Structure formats: C-alpha cells, structure tokens
Amino acid sequence: KQWYQRRVREPKRDLRRFVKWPKYIRLQRQRKTLYQRLKVPPSVNQFTQTLDKQTATNLFKLLKKYKPETAAEKKDRLKSMADSGKTEAGKKPTVVKFGLNHVTALVEKKKAQLVVIAHDVDPIELVVWMPALCRKMNIPYCIVKGKARLGQVVHKKTAAVLAITSVKAEDKNALNNLVSSVTTNYNDRFDEIRKTWGGGK
C-alpha cells in the first residue's frame, strides 16, 4: 500500500522483532532456549526447582530481620560503645552471613543452620556443588528465585548464597518450621533430584 499517496498516517507496526537487543538480553534468551532443547544434567537442573511462594515469603521475612548493619549503623554502634565504655552496649548484632567463601567455611564447620542459594547465579559452576556439600554435611539448604532479591537483604546488588547461623529466641520457632519444610523438599529428596534430568523438549 502506498500510504503517502493517500496522505494517511502509516499504522504503527510491532517492530520488536527487528530491534537489535543488547547482548545480555540475547544471551538470556539463548540460554533459556538451550535449556529447553538440550538435555540438562541433574546437577544443573536442580536449580529450576525453587522454593514455593508461601515458604519463600516466610523465609525472606525472617532474613530481613537479620539484615547486616550498614556502614553508618556500625559507626554509630562503635561510637556508642566508645562513649559508654561498655562492650555490651556495642555488642555485634546477629546477622545473616553472605559471600561464597564465607558460607562454604560455615557449612564445612557445621555452623550454618540454613543455607539459601540463588537459582540464577551466572556462571552456574560457582554454586553447582553447594547443594551436594550441604547434603554431605547434613545442613538444610534451599534454592530461591533471584540473586538480586538475596542481594537486597545484605545491601548488595546480588548475592549467590546466604546462611543463617543463629537467631533470637522469639524467631526459633519460625526457623524450625522453615528448616523442616526445606529438609522435606530438598535434603530428603536427594536420590530423586540427582536422577532427574531436564530439558529435551
């Protein structure tokens, strides 16, 4: 049709197909397609089995109570400790632990009570061995959606893993409920998870 002859405005077309998308978006889409078409080994496929919404909501409620202190909060705590001259006043708060090396050390020493792993860590090799280590050390672990969501808890852009080492007395019941739920869904299903392949559609 020759729209210019009729002096009518050309209709808007959906040009998204012709857009040159940024490289990171193309890689995301290609990875998703490959994971659907190729056979995905169980060690990688286990990261598609994330925690259900209700349990994840309860988990993040608990994690937010134990956010690490910011630099300003730490400065205020140390200042108040120096002013009062008592170490008890500035006692280090109970917080969630983060960082791959730190969490690994806590798991190996059996100090972690619950380990939370992000499902979208890239490259996946960074955390692909973590569930096996947790199972070996008999520590409850779970896989949740979003490294960015974990990062928000610890004032970072992203976080691959978090660990809870201790909680206050009033939160022990909530932690025990989470641990029992997580153990049923992940630790106790070890044999099933390690035999379940993904993709190949």
Side-chain angles (χ1 to χ4, degrees):
K1 289 179 182 179
Q2 293 178 336
W3 296 97
Y4 62 89
Q5 285 182 350
R6 299 186 200 174
R7 295 187 180 180
V8 178
R9 188 177 290 170
E10 191 172 344
K12 274 193 174 182
R13 291 193 180 90
D14 186 2
L15 299 175
R16 282 178 294 182
R17 186 169 166 274
F18 304 102
V19 172
K20 186 171 182 184
W21 292 97
K23 194 172 182 181
Y24 79 96
I25 289 178
R26 284 186 309 220
L27 285 171
Q28 280 173 0
R29 290 175 179 176
Q30 286 164 0
R31 189 187 297 117
K32 187 182 176 186
T33 307
L34 283 173
Y35 277 169
Q36 285 172 345
R37 292 181 187 173
L38 300 179
K39 293 287 279 180
V40 181
S43 56
V44 177
N45 186 55
Q46 68 183 331
F47 288 92
T48 60
Q49 299 172 29
T50 53
L51 207 58
D52 64 275
K53 193 174 179 183
Q54 184 60 47
T55 315
T57 305
N58 295 335
L59 173 64
F60 279 98
K61 273 183 190 173
L62 182 66
L63 290 174
K64 279 175 184 173
K65 287 184 183 179
Y66 296 95
K67 274 188 173 187
E69 57 188 357
T70 59
E73 288 168 350
K74 186 178 181 181
K75 190 178 176 184
D76 291 341
R77 176 172 64 83
L78 294 174
K79 192 170 182 248
S80 66
M81 185 173 75
D83 292 342
S84 63
K86 294 178 183 176
T87 53
E88 286 298 315
K91 199 175 180 184
K92 206 172 182 182
T94 306
V95 294
V96 291
K97 309 296 181 183
F98 63 99
L100 207 49
N101 290 341
H102 189 188
V103 171
T104 305
L106 291 170
V107 171
E108 286 171 344
K109 291 172 186 171
K110 294 193 174 184
K111 287 184 178 178
Q113 292 185 22
L114 176 63
V115 175
V116 186
I117 309 168
H119 87 298
D120 56 347
V121 177
D122 185 44
I124 196 72
E125 289 84 0
L126 288 173
V127 292
V128 79
W129 45 269
M130 182 64 85
L133 178 66
C134 291
R135 280 192 292 263
K136 187 182 176 185
M137 304 308 286
N138 200 24
I139 286 172
Y141 75 94
C142 62
I143 296 165
V144 296
K145 281 190 176 178
K147 57 186 178 182
R149 200 175 174 195
L150 290 184
Q152 282 181 337
V153 175
V154 292
H155 312 295
K156 301 283 179 189
K157 282 185 183 175
T158 58
V161 286
L162 300 180
I164 297 174
T165 50
S166 61
V167 292
K168 293 171 186 170
E170 63 264 25
D171 292 320
K172 278 191 176 174
N173 193 30
L175 180 63
N176 290 339
N177 290 341
L178 282 169
V179 165
S180 63
S181 172
V182 158
T183 305
T184 307
N185 288 332
Y186 292 93
N187 295 60
D188 294 348
R189 289 177 57 233
F190 167 63
D191 289 323
E192 183 191 331
I193 289 169
R194 74 189 180 103
K195 291 174 186 173
T196 308
W197 284 67
K201 291 179 183 176

